[in-house]
Amino acid sequence: QVNLAINLQSLTQPFRSRSQIARVLTERWAELELYCVACSSPRLEATKANTPSIDFLCSCCEAVYQLKSSLKPFWRKLLGANYDATVKAYQEGRVPHLFLLHYS
């Protein structure tokens, strides 16, 4: 547990904003724990930072994923990626699967 706490602290140290800290932690958690729902792959790979509309991809079947995490419950609307990037993803047939993560 000590090593995990040290690793998490080193990930979040550059940030002061609680939302940025949550983003870094939830992205790391997702990278370690999520699996592909489109095939039997037990792992997803994180994409490069700022990849439009895509946060993770499956190296086996090339399914793409977007992680949305929030302190508040998801209700009627979901804040998405940039509108133009989302439309382009739809037009190119690479609409990501969504992972919605509500944290406390």
XYZ file of all heavy atoms in Angstrom:
834
model
N 0.814 -1.204 0.000
C 0.000 0.000 0.000
C 0.856 1.265 0.000
O 0.473 2.250 -0.586
C -0.914 0.013 1.209
C -2.113 -0.884 1.060
C -3.068 -0.702 2.221
O -2.696 -0.224 3.271
N -4.301 -1.091 2.002
N 2.012 1.203 0.646
C 2.892 2.372 0.685
C 3.377 2.714 -0.716
O 3.343 3.872 -1.123
C 4.086 2.136 1.646
C 5.082 3.272 1.552
C 3.593 1.977 3.069
N 3.807 1.695 -1.495
C 4.269 1.949 -2.857
C 3.168 2.525 -3.732
O 3.408 3.416 -4.530
C 4.816 0.666 -3.486
C 6.157 0.281 -2.915
O 6.857 1.111 -2.350
N 6.510 -0.987 -3.050
N 1.953 2.014 -3.586
C 0.831 2.540 -4.351
C 0.582 3.998 -3.994
O 0.385 4.833 -4.868
C -0.426 1.710 -4.111
C -1.677 2.167 -4.854
C -1.452 2.155 -6.356
C -2.848 1.296 -4.490
N 0.610 4.331 -2.710
C 0.393 5.711 -2.280
C 1.477 6.631 -2.826
O 1.195 7.742 -3.274
C 0.347 5.791 -0.758
N 2.725 6.175 -2.838
C 3.821 6.981 -3.372
C 3.629 7.193 -4.870
O 3.793 8.294 -5.379
C 5.180 6.316 -3.074
C 5.467 6.388 -1.574
C 6.304 6.989 -3.853
C 6.632 5.553 -1.120
N 3.269 6.141 -5.595
C 3.041 6.270 -7.039
C 1.902 7.222 -7.346
O 1.989 8.026 -8.260
C 2.767 4.903 -7.655
C 4.004 4.036 -7.698
O 5.124 4.527 -7.640
N 3.807 2.737 -7.774
N 0.804 7.123 -6.608
C -0.330 8.021 -6.831
C 0.042 9.459 -6.507
O -0.351 10.381 -7.208
C -1.538 7.576 -6.010
C -2.161 6.244 -6.412
C -3.322 5.904 -5.490
C -2.594 6.253 -7.858
N 0.813 9.641 -5.449
C 1.234 10.993 -5.077
C 2.123 11.586 -6.169
O 1.977 12.753 -6.517
C 1.971 10.983 -3.745
C 2.301 12.371 -3.247
C 2.971 12.340 -1.884
O 3.477 11.325 -1.443
N 2.958 13.477 -1.227
N 3.007 10.799 -6.751
C 3.878 11.312 -7.807
C 3.075 11.655 -9.067
O 3.415 12.585 -9.787
C 4.998 10.320 -8.130
O 4.477 9.151 -8.703
N 1.992 10.917 -9.332
C 1.135 11.225 -10.483
C 0.405 12.548 -10.308
O 0.214 13.294 -11.259
C 0.083 10.129 -10.671
C 0.486 8.838 -11.344
C -0.673 7.845 -11.291
C 0.891 9.076 -12.781
N -0.025 12.820 -9.091
C -0.881 13.986 -8.847
C -0.117 15.215 -8.384
O -0.689 16.302 -8.336
C -1.961 13.655 -7.804
O -1.337 13.273 -6.574
C -2.865 12.537 -8.296
N 1.156 15.079 -8.051
C 1.920 16.190 -7.497
C 1.909 17.460 -8.345
O 1.810 18.545 -7.799
C 3.349 15.760 -7.222
C 4.119 16.807 -6.444
C 5.238 16.196 -5.643
O 5.563 15.041 -5.820
N 5.814 16.976 -4.776
N 1.980 17.370 -9.671
C 2.003 18.606 -10.462
C 0.688 19.399 -10.427
O 0.642 20.533 -10.885
C 2.267 18.135 -11.892
C 2.637 16.712 -11.809
C 2.153 16.195 -10.515
N -0.381 18.807 -9.896
C -1.699 19.438 -9.976
C -2.178 19.946 -8.618
O -1.934 19.335 -7.590
C -2.724 18.439 -10.525
C -2.346 17.881 -11.860
C -1.796 16.611 -11.970
C -2.512 18.622 -13.013
C -1.422 16.091 -13.196
C -2.143 18.115 -14.240
C -1.597 16.852 -14.332
N -2.891 21.060 -8.649
C -3.523 21.604 -7.446
C -5.049 21.458 -7.518
O -5.712 21.316 -6.526
C -3.167 23.074 -7.284
C -1.716 23.316 -7.007
C -1.565 23.978 -5.652
N -0.199 24.384 -5.414
C 0.657 23.657 -4.715
N 0.293 22.508 -4.226
N 1.876 24.091 -4.503
N -5.584 21.509 -8.726
C -7.028 21.436 -8.934
C -7.535 20.034 -8.602
O -6.988 19.032 -9.074
C -7.343 21.771 -10.391
O -8.627 21.348 -10.737
N -8.592 19.973 -7.820
C -9.170 18.675 -7.457
C -9.678 17.927 -8.690
O -9.569 16.716 -8.775
C -10.279 18.871 -6.439
C -9.740 19.395 -5.108
C -10.845 19.761 -4.176
N -11.232 18.552 -3.444
C -12.238 18.497 -2.606
N -12.970 19.562 -2.382
N -12.514 17.381 -1.976
N -10.216 18.653 -9.653
C -10.719 17.984 -10.855
C -9.570 17.416 -11.689
O -9.696 16.342 -12.273
C -11.589 18.923 -11.687
O -10.838 20.020 -12.144
N -8.439 18.108 -11.745
C -7.280 17.588 -12.470
C -6.691 16.364 -11.756
O -6.300 15.395 -12.397
C -6.203 18.667 -12.626
C -6.563 19.732 -13.619
C -6.672 19.182 -15.030
O -5.948 18.297 -15.429
N -7.629 19.717 -15.787
N -6.643 16.405 -10.440
C -6.167 15.255 -9.666
C -7.079 14.061 -9.909
O -6.610 12.943 -10.160
C -6.075 15.601 -8.172
C -4.929 16.596 -7.948
C -5.880 14.352 -7.322
C -4.888 17.211 -6.567
N -8.389 14.292 -9.887
C -9.350 13.214 -10.140
C -9.175 12.666 -11.547
O -9.224 11.455 -11.767
C -10.772 13.714 -9.929
N -8.956 13.527 -12.518
C -8.767 13.089 -13.906
C -7.563 12.164 -14.019
O -7.643 11.072 -14.596
C -8.582 14.293 -14.843
C -8.354 13.887 -16.300
C -7.961 15.076 -17.171
N -6.780 15.777 -16.708
C -5.520 15.361 -16.904
N -5.287 14.226 -17.534
N -4.501 16.078 -16.477
N -6.438 12.563 -13.427
C -5.220 11.759 -13.497
C -5.429 10.410 -12.813
O -5.049 9.364 -13.348
C -4.034 12.522 -12.858
C -2.834 11.619 -12.679
C -3.675 13.725 -13.708
N -6.065 10.416 -11.658
C -6.278 9.168 -10.921
C -7.262 8.243 -11.622
O -7.039 7.029 -11.699
C -6.752 9.465 -9.501
C -5.725 10.133 -8.588
C -6.346 10.432 -7.233
C -4.468 9.300 -8.448
N -8.348 8.796 -12.155
C -9.325 7.931 -12.826
C -8.766 7.375 -14.136
O -9.036 6.229 -14.484
C -10.668 8.654 -13.077
O -10.436 9.839 -13.853
C -11.351 9.019 -11.769
N -7.977 8.163 -14.849
C -7.358 7.655 -16.073
C -6.377 6.528 -15.751
O -6.314 5.527 -16.466
C -6.657 8.773 -16.834
C -7.620 9.703 -17.545
C -6.943 10.873 -18.217
O -5.699 11.030 -18.093
O -7.650 11.651 -18.877
N -5.618 6.678 -14.679
C -4.671 5.625 -14.282
C -5.422 4.371 -13.847
O -5.051 3.259 -14.212
C -3.757 6.131 -13.158
C -2.743 5.130 -12.709
C -1.753 4.808 -13.822
N -0.785 3.852 -13.329
C -0.287 2.854 -14.024
N -0.638 2.691 -15.280
N 0.565 2.020 -13.506
N -6.486 4.558 -13.073
C -7.295 3.414 -12.648
C -7.844 2.681 -13.869
O -7.783 1.457 -13.956
C -8.442 3.869 -11.742
C -9.357 2.752 -11.386
C -9.217 1.867 -10.355
C -10.548 2.367 -12.085
N -10.250 0.967 -10.367
C -11.081 1.243 -11.415
C -11.219 2.862 -13.192
C -12.250 0.614 -11.834
C -12.375 2.230 -13.607
C -12.878 1.124 -12.928
N -8.371 3.430 -14.813
C -8.954 2.827 -16.019
C -7.899 2.049 -16.798
O -8.162 0.944 -17.280
C -9.572 3.912 -16.895
N -6.717 2.603 -16.896
C -5.641 1.931 -17.628
C -5.291 0.587 -16.981
O -4.980 -0.380 -17.675
C -4.414 2.835 -17.657
C -3.316 2.371 -18.548
C -2.178 3.379 -18.643
O -2.183 4.402 -17.937
O -1.268 3.103 -19.428
N -5.384 0.511 -15.671
C -5.048 -0.724 -14.957
C -6.202 -1.715 -14.885
O -5.984 -2.922 -14.846
C -4.605 -0.386 -13.530
C -3.302 0.391 -13.390
C -3.102 0.825 -11.943
C -2.123 -0.414 -13.898
N -7.438 -1.227 -14.869
C -8.573 -2.082 -14.548
C -9.555 -2.379 -15.677
O -10.259 -3.373 -15.622
C -9.359 -1.483 -13.380
C -8.558 -1.329 -12.101
C -8.119 -2.657 -11.508
O -8.819 -3.669 -11.692
O -7.067 -2.685 -10.854
N -9.642 -1.531 -16.690
C -10.646 -1.750 -17.726
C -10.192 -2.793 -18.736
O -9.004 -2.999 -18.950
C -10.964 -0.437 -18.446
C -11.661 0.623 -17.605
C -11.913 1.877 -18.436
C -12.947 0.103 -17.010
N -11.161 -3.433 -19.354
C -10.903 -4.449 -20.362
C -11.794 -4.156 -21.565
O -12.716 -3.352 -21.493
C -11.180 -5.848 -19.811
C -12.581 -6.006 -19.276
C -13.618 -6.419 -20.106
C -12.876 -5.712 -17.948
C -14.909 -6.546 -19.619
C -14.158 -5.837 -17.454
C -15.167 -6.250 -18.282
O -16.441 -6.373 -17.807
N -11.514 -4.808 -22.644
C -12.277 -4.583 -23.866
C -13.620 -5.300 -23.783
O -13.663 -6.506 -23.525
C -11.496 -5.058 -25.078
S -12.329 -4.671 -26.632
N -14.694 -4.580 -24.035
C -16.029 -5.186 -24.044
C -16.379 -5.740 -25.431
O -17.366 -6.432 -25.584
C -17.122 -4.194 -23.574
C -16.886 -3.755 -22.147
C -17.220 -2.994 -24.500
N -15.555 -5.442 -26.422
C -15.824 -5.897 -27.784
C -15.126 -7.220 -28.126
O -15.483 -7.867 -29.092
C -15.387 -4.822 -28.782
N -14.137 -7.600 -27.326
C -13.435 -8.867 -27.550
C -12.969 -9.410 -26.195
O -13.368 -8.909 -25.153
C -12.263 -8.695 -28.525
S -10.799 -7.895 -27.839
N -12.117 -10.367 -26.195
C -11.704 -10.992 -24.935
C -10.415 -10.403 -24.353
O -9.860 -10.956 -23.407
C -11.526 -12.497 -25.141
O -10.519 -12.730 -26.103
N -9.942 -9.294 -24.872
C -8.698 -8.704 -24.380
C -8.867 -8.182 -22.952
O -9.796 -7.421 -22.665
C -8.257 -7.556 -25.287
O -7.095 -6.944 -24.763
N -7.962 -8.563 -22.056
C -8.068 -8.121 -20.668
C -7.522 -6.715 -20.424
O -7.589 -6.208 -19.311
C -7.230 -9.156 -19.916
C -6.194 -9.575 -20.902
C -6.878 -9.518 -22.251
N -6.968 -6.080 -21.434
C -6.327 -4.785 -21.257
C -6.704 -3.801 -22.357
O -6.947 -4.177 -23.498
C -4.809 -4.952 -21.307
C -4.186 -5.504 -20.065
C -3.906 -4.321 -19.213
N -3.153 -4.465 -18.021
C -3.694 -4.642 -16.836
N -4.971 -4.854 -16.702
N -2.957 -4.611 -15.765
N -6.695 -2.528 -21.981
C -6.811 -1.434 -22.943
C -5.561 -0.584 -22.825
O -4.968 -0.491 -21.754
C -8.044 -0.576 -22.643
C -9.394 -1.249 -22.786
C -10.498 -0.289 -22.382
C -9.606 -1.744 -24.208
N -5.184 0.032 -23.916
C -4.017 0.902 -23.915
C -4.465 2.357 -23.937
O -5.363 2.721 -24.695
C -3.145 0.623 -25.141
C -2.549 -0.763 -25.157
C -1.724 -1.018 -26.408
O -1.269 -0.040 -27.052
O -1.549 -2.190 -26.743
N -3.825 3.172 -23.112
C -4.116 4.609 -23.110
C -3.580 5.220 -24.397
O -2.512 4.837 -24.880
C -3.469 5.270 -21.906
N -4.322 6.138 -24.961
C -3.862 6.854 -26.149
C -2.978 8.011 -25.710
O -2.908 8.346 -24.525
C -5.039 7.385 -26.977
O -5.815 8.256 -26.163
C -5.899 6.253 -27.509
N -2.325 8.625 -26.673
C -1.512 9.797 -26.354
C -2.417 10.894 -25.796
O -3.592 10.978 -26.162
C -0.796 10.314 -27.597
C 0.291 9.379 -28.118
C 1.054 10.007 -29.257
C 0.186 10.052 -30.493
N 0.856 10.526 -31.687
N -1.865 11.714 -24.934
C -2.625 12.823 -24.354
C -3.211 13.689 -25.460
O -2.583 13.907 -26.501
C -1.727 13.662 -23.454
N -4.428 14.132 -25.245
C -5.142 15.030 -26.156
C -5.526 14.399 -27.491
O -5.723 15.112 -28.473
C -4.349 16.325 -26.380
C -4.113 17.061 -25.093
O -5.016 17.201 -24.277
N -2.884 17.510 -24.881
N -5.651 13.075 -27.526
C -6.175 12.426 -28.726
C -7.667 12.728 -28.795
O -8.387 12.433 -27.845
C -5.958 10.897 -28.682
O -4.560 10.638 -28.576
C -6.514 10.219 -29.921
N -8.149 13.351 -29.864
C -9.555 13.760 -29.927
C -10.527 12.587 -29.787
O -10.421 11.599 -30.516
C -9.693 14.408 -31.301
C -8.314 14.781 -31.695
C -7.409 13.760 -31.058
N -11.425 12.672 -28.833
C -12.541 11.742 -28.624
C -12.160 10.330 -28.173
O -13.032 9.511 -27.969
C -13.400 11.604 -29.891
O -13.890 12.862 -30.274
N -10.887 10.022 -28.067
C -10.483 8.663 -27.717
C -9.465 8.695 -26.577
O -8.451 9.384 -26.661
C -9.871 7.932 -28.933
C -10.888 7.862 -30.071
C -9.402 6.539 -28.546
C -10.311 7.374 -31.364
N -9.744 7.928 -25.508
C -8.827 7.841 -24.374
C -8.091 6.506 -24.322
O -6.953 6.447 -23.851
C -9.592 8.030 -23.062
C -10.231 9.401 -22.965
O -9.565 10.395 -23.323
O -11.400 9.486 -22.540
N -8.756 5.438 -24.785
C -8.170 4.094 -24.730
C -8.504 3.346 -26.007
O -9.495 3.638 -26.669
C -8.744 3.307 -23.541
C -8.439 3.943 -22.217
C -9.342 4.802 -21.623
C -7.247 3.687 -21.576
C -9.069 5.412 -20.423
C -6.958 4.291 -20.365
C -7.867 5.150 -19.783
N -7.665 2.358 -26.325
C -7.966 1.501 -27.455
C -7.538 0.079 -27.148
O -6.672 -0.157 -26.315
C -7.322 2.001 -28.738
C -5.805 2.019 -28.841
C -5.322 0.736 -29.499
C -5.372 3.199 -29.666
N -8.178 -0.840 -27.823
C -7.866 -2.257 -27.685
C -6.885 -2.621 -28.794
O -7.181 -2.418 -29.973
C -9.126 -3.102 -27.796
S -8.781 -4.876 -27.734
N -5.742 -3.160 -28.406
C -4.746 -3.527 -29.417
C -5.140 -4.788 -30.174
O -4.603 -5.059 -31.239
C -3.374 -3.697 -28.774
O -3.407 -4.707 -27.796
N -6.102 -5.558 -29.645
C -6.532 -6.786 -30.328
C -7.560 -6.508 -31.420
O -7.400 -6.953 -32.552
C -7.114 -7.772 -29.326
S -5.901 -8.402 -28.163
N -8.626 -5.790 -31.081
C -9.713 -5.590 -32.046
C -9.853 -4.140 -32.516
O -10.719 -3.827 -33.313
C -11.040 -6.082 -31.463
S -11.701 -5.021 -30.172
N -9.022 -3.262 -31.985
C -9.000 -1.851 -32.350
C -10.254 -1.077 -31.941
O -10.533 -0.007 -32.476
C -8.696 -1.665 -33.838
C -7.338 -2.212 -34.232
C -6.988 -1.984 -35.688
O -7.807 -1.407 -36.440
O -5.876 -2.381 -36.073
N -11.018 -1.611 -30.986
C -12.154 -0.854 -30.442
C -11.596 0.351 -29.686
O -10.524 0.288 -29.090
C -12.969 -1.733 -29.501
N -12.325 1.459 -29.762
C -11.875 2.682 -29.097
C -12.843 3.055 -27.971
O -14.038 2.746 -28.037
C -11.710 3.851 -30.102
C -10.568 3.576 -31.055
C -12.985 4.106 -30.868
N -12.310 3.730 -26.960
C -13.073 4.048 -25.763
C -12.805 5.477 -25.319
O -11.706 5.998 -25.486
C -12.672 3.107 -24.610
C -13.013 1.679 -24.879
C -12.139 0.852 -25.576
C -14.223 1.144 -24.461
C -12.462 -0.456 -25.850
C -14.553 -0.173 -24.729
C -13.667 -0.971 -25.421
O -13.989 -2.266 -25.690
N -13.831 6.045 -24.715
C -13.702 7.360 -24.102
C -14.159 7.225 -22.655
O -15.209 6.634 -22.378
C -14.546 8.388 -24.846
C -14.342 9.806 -24.360
C -15.103 10.806 -25.224
O -16.223 10.558 -25.655
N -14.492 11.941 -25.466
N -13.362 7.738 -21.738
C -13.676 7.701 -20.319
C -14.234 9.048 -19.893
O -13.632 10.093 -20.148
C -12.417 7.390 -19.505
C -12.544 7.471 -17.983
C -13.481 6.388 -17.457
C -11.169 7.356 -17.331
N -15.401 9.017 -19.277
C -15.992 10.212 -18.686
C -16.132 9.930 -17.202
O -16.772 8.951 -16.807
C -17.375 10.513 -19.285
C -17.331 10.919 -20.722
C -16.637 12.249 -20.847
C -16.595 12.715 -22.283
N -15.810 13.926 -22.421
N -15.529 10.762 -16.386
C -15.635 10.574 -14.945
C -16.119 11.870 -14.322
O -15.835 12.958 -14.813
C -14.298 10.136 -14.361
O -13.276 11.031 -14.690
N -16.873 11.710 -13.228
C -17.480 12.885 -12.612
C -17.749 12.650 -11.134
O -18.096 11.542 -10.724
C -18.804 13.216 -13.308
O -19.446 14.300 -12.675
N -17.597 13.702 -10.375
C -17.958 13.679 -8.961
C -19.477 13.683 -8.807
O -20.017 13.069 -7.903
C -17.347 14.900 -8.257
C -17.613 15.072 -6.779
C -17.070 13.895 -5.982
C -16.972 16.366 -6.281
N -20.140 14.348 -9.747
C -21.607 14.409 -9.712
C -22.180 13.246 -10.525
O -21.591 12.837 -11.531
C -22.093 15.731 -10.297
C -21.640 16.933 -9.503
C -22.087 18.205 -10.160
C -21.563 19.401 -9.369
N -21.920 20.663 -10.006
N -23.341 12.741 -10.123
C -23.961 11.660 -10.905
C -24.292 12.124 -12.329
O -24.554 13.296 -12.568
C -25.260 11.361 -10.141
C -25.042 11.901 -8.775
C -24.106 13.069 -8.926
N -24.253 11.198 -13.258
C -24.628 11.503 -14.637
C -26.148 11.508 -14.712
O -26.801 10.579 -14.277
C -24.067 10.441 -15.590
C -22.563 10.421 -15.615
C -21.868 9.467 -14.899
C -21.854 11.354 -16.348
C -20.478 9.433 -14.919
C -20.464 11.334 -16.368
C -19.781 10.371 -15.650
N -26.720 12.568 -15.262
C -28.172 12.667 -15.360
C -28.581 12.825 -16.804
O -28.397 11.946 -17.601
C -28.719 13.810 -14.501
C -28.549 13.539 -13.046
C -27.613 14.103 -12.214
C -29.276 12.621 -12.224
N -27.724 13.594 -10.946
C -28.751 12.684 -10.913
C -30.330 11.751 -12.457
C -29.233 11.925 -9.866
C -30.814 10.994 -11.401
C -30.270 11.087 -10.133
N -29.122 13.987 -17.114
C -29.714 14.183 -18.440
C -28.716 14.492 -19.532
O -28.972 14.215 -20.694
C -30.743 15.299 -18.383
C -31.911 14.890 -17.557
C -32.996 15.885 -17.655
N -34.101 15.373 -16.854
C -35.175 16.028 -16.617
N -35.329 17.234 -17.101
N -36.128 15.496 -15.891
N -27.609 15.106 -19.192
C -26.654 15.405 -20.251
C -25.254 14.990 -19.819
O -24.941 14.926 -18.645
C -26.699 16.865 -20.678
C -26.280 17.865 -19.642
C -26.396 19.259 -20.230
C -25.974 20.299 -19.206
N -26.024 21.635 -19.751
N -24.471 14.728 -20.808
C -23.112 14.264 -20.603
C -22.192 15.200 -21.371
O -22.340 15.349 -22.592
C -22.992 12.835 -21.137
C -21.645 12.173 -21.103
C -21.194 11.968 -19.658
C -21.732 10.828 -21.800
N -21.294 15.838 -20.674
C -20.359 16.714 -21.360
C -19.442 15.850 -22.200
O -18.860 14.891 -21.721
C -19.556 17.549 -20.366
C -20.364 18.559 -19.555
C -19.470 19.285 -18.569
C -21.057 19.551 -20.467
N -19.340 16.194 -23.453
C -18.570 15.362 -24.370
C -17.286 16.019 -24.805
O -16.855 17.038 -24.272
N -16.708 15.422 -25.778
C -15.504 15.964 -26.384
C -15.910 17.160 -27.249
O -17.090 17.467 -27.402
C -14.838 14.891 -27.234
N -14.961 17.772 -27.836
C -15.208 18.865 -28.751
C -16.212 18.419 -29.808
O -16.114 17.315 -30.340
C -13.869 19.256 -29.384
C -14.009 20.282 -30.470
O -14.398 19.943 -31.584
N -13.729 21.509 -30.144
N -17.181 19.247 -30.097
C -18.256 18.895 -31.024
C -17.711 18.469 -32.386
O -18.101 17.442 -32.930
C -19.222 20.077 -31.180
C -20.326 19.805 -32.174
C -21.420 19.019 -31.821
C -20.268 20.304 -33.464
C -22.436 18.744 -32.727
C -21.272 20.044 -34.375
C -22.355 19.263 -33.997
O -23.352 18.988 -34.905
N -16.808 19.274 -32.951
C -16.269 18.959 -34.271
C -15.524 17.625 -34.271
O -15.638 16.845 -35.216
C -15.349 20.075 -34.761
C -16.108 21.366 -35.043
O -17.310 21.278 -35.398
O -15.514 22.452 -34.908
N -14.763 17.358 -33.201
C -14.032 16.091 -33.110
C -14.998 14.914 -33.009
O -14.772 13.855 -33.612
C -13.097 16.109 -31.903
N -16.103 15.109 -32.301
C -17.097 14.048 -32.157
C -17.794 13.771 -33.486
O -17.960 12.613 -33.881
C -18.131 14.425 -31.072
O -17.433 14.650 -29.850
C -19.158 13.340 -30.886
N -18.175 14.813 -34.189
C -18.817 14.648 -35.498
C -17.863 13.947 -36.462
O -18.257 13.022 -37.182
C -19.272 16.015 -36.070
C -19.683 15.892 -37.532
C -20.419 16.569 -35.243
N -16.603 14.343 -36.454
C -15.614 13.716 -37.332
C -15.462 12.228 -37.007
O -15.385 11.397 -37.915
C -14.266 14.428 -37.203
C -13.230 13.914 -38.155
C -11.945 14.705 -38.052
C -10.917 14.119 -39.013
N -9.642 14.795 -38.935
N -15.458 11.888 -35.730
C -15.359 10.480 -35.327
C -16.550 9.686 -35.856
O -16.388 8.574 -36.365
C -15.263 10.374 -33.805
N -17.754 10.244 -35.755
C -18.953 9.582 -36.293
C -18.826 9.392 -37.798
O -19.125 8.333 -38.324
C -20.205 10.395 -35.984
C -20.797 10.107 -34.640
C -20.471 10.881 -33.543
C -21.703 9.060 -34.468
C -21.011 10.627 -32.302
C -22.254 8.795 -33.231
C -21.908 9.577 -32.149
O -22.443 9.307 -30.929
N -18.399 10.421 -38.510
C -18.282 10.346 -39.964
C -17.246 9.313 -40.399
O -17.384 8.687 -41.440
C -17.923 11.720 -40.531
C -19.051 12.715 -40.422
C -18.639 14.131 -40.776
O -17.470 14.483 -40.747
N -19.637 14.962 -41.094
N -16.204 9.130 -39.595
C -15.145 8.175 -39.922
C -15.444 6.770 -39.398
O -14.632 5.868 -39.562
C -13.807 8.666 -39.363
C -13.317 9.939 -40.044
C -12.070 10.511 -39.396
O -11.631 9.986 -38.340
O -11.537 11.485 -39.934
N -16.593 6.600 -38.750
C -16.969 5.291 -38.249
C -16.149 4.813 -37.074
O -15.972 3.629 -36.861
N -15.645 5.737 -36.288
C -14.845 5.354 -35.127
C -15.420 5.969 -33.844
O -14.719 6.574 -33.056
C -13.376 5.713 -35.310
C -13.110 7.170 -35.606
C -11.622 7.483 -35.716
N -11.424 8.909 -35.879
C -11.352 9.773 -34.881
N -11.426 9.370 -33.655
N -11.203 11.064 -35.122
N -16.694 5.790 -33.675
C -17.368 6.298 -32.488
C -16.914 5.468 -31.285
O -16.975 4.245 -31.308
C -18.901 6.208 -32.644
C -19.599 6.712 -31.408
C -19.330 6.981 -33.868
N -16.446 6.121 -30.241
C -15.928 5.353 -29.113
C -17.030 4.778 -28.228
O -18.117 5.340 -28.122
C -15.111 6.396 -28.337
C -15.757 7.698 -28.662
C -16.255 7.555 -30.085
N -16.708 3.651 -27.619
C -17.531 3.146 -26.524
C -17.319 4.108 -25.368
O -16.239 4.686 -25.218
C -17.054 1.754 -26.079
C -17.164 0.710 -27.126
N -18.331 0.027 -27.384
C -16.242 0.209 -27.985
C -18.125 -0.849 -28.342
N -16.869 -0.757 -28.732
N -18.334 4.300 -24.547
C -18.199 5.202 -23.403
C -18.103 4.405 -22.103
O -18.884 3.482 -21.884
C -19.394 6.147 -23.305
C -19.482 7.258 -24.318
C -20.769 8.052 -24.114
C -18.283 8.175 -24.262
N -17.160 4.786 -21.273
C -17.079 4.322 -19.896
C -17.443 5.512 -19.028
O -16.790 6.560 -19.112
C -15.668 3.851 -19.530
C -15.295 2.509 -20.072
C -14.195 2.355 -20.873
C -16.037 1.373 -19.735
C -13.826 1.114 -21.364
C -15.690 0.117 -20.215
C -14.581 -0.006 -21.024
N -18.486 5.393 -18.246
C -18.910 6.457 -17.344
C -18.531 6.061 -15.924
O -18.956 5.015 -15.433
C -20.414 6.694 -17.447
C -20.940 7.002 -18.847
C -22.450 7.196 -18.796
C -20.267 8.212 -19.440
N -17.749 6.890 -15.275
C -17.245 6.592 -13.938
C -17.671 7.691 -12.981
O -17.291 8.852 -13.150
C -15.710 6.483 -13.975
C -14.989 6.329 -12.656
C -15.384 5.001 -11.981
C -13.499 6.386 -12.862
N -18.470 7.334 -12.007
C -18.895 8.259 -10.966
C -18.058 7.964 -9.733
O -18.017 6.833 -9.263
C -20.389 8.076 -10.661
C -20.878 8.902 -9.523
N -21.502 8.351 -8.440
C -20.802 10.230 -9.294
C -21.801 9.310 -7.587
N -21.389 10.450 -8.088
N -17.350 8.960 -9.241
C -16.466 8.760 -8.092
C -16.881 9.649 -6.939
O -17.633 10.605 -7.090
C -15.001 9.019 -8.484
C -14.726 10.427 -8.965
C -14.451 11.450 -8.068
C -14.736 10.735 -10.318
C -14.211 12.738 -8.508
C -14.493 12.007 -10.772
C -14.224 13.013 -9.846
O -13.980 14.287 -10.291
N -16.373 9.314 -5.757
C -16.631 10.163 -4.574
C -15.323 10.550 -3.920
O -14.288 9.985 -4.203
C -17.517 9.424 -3.579
O -16.918 8.226 -3.173
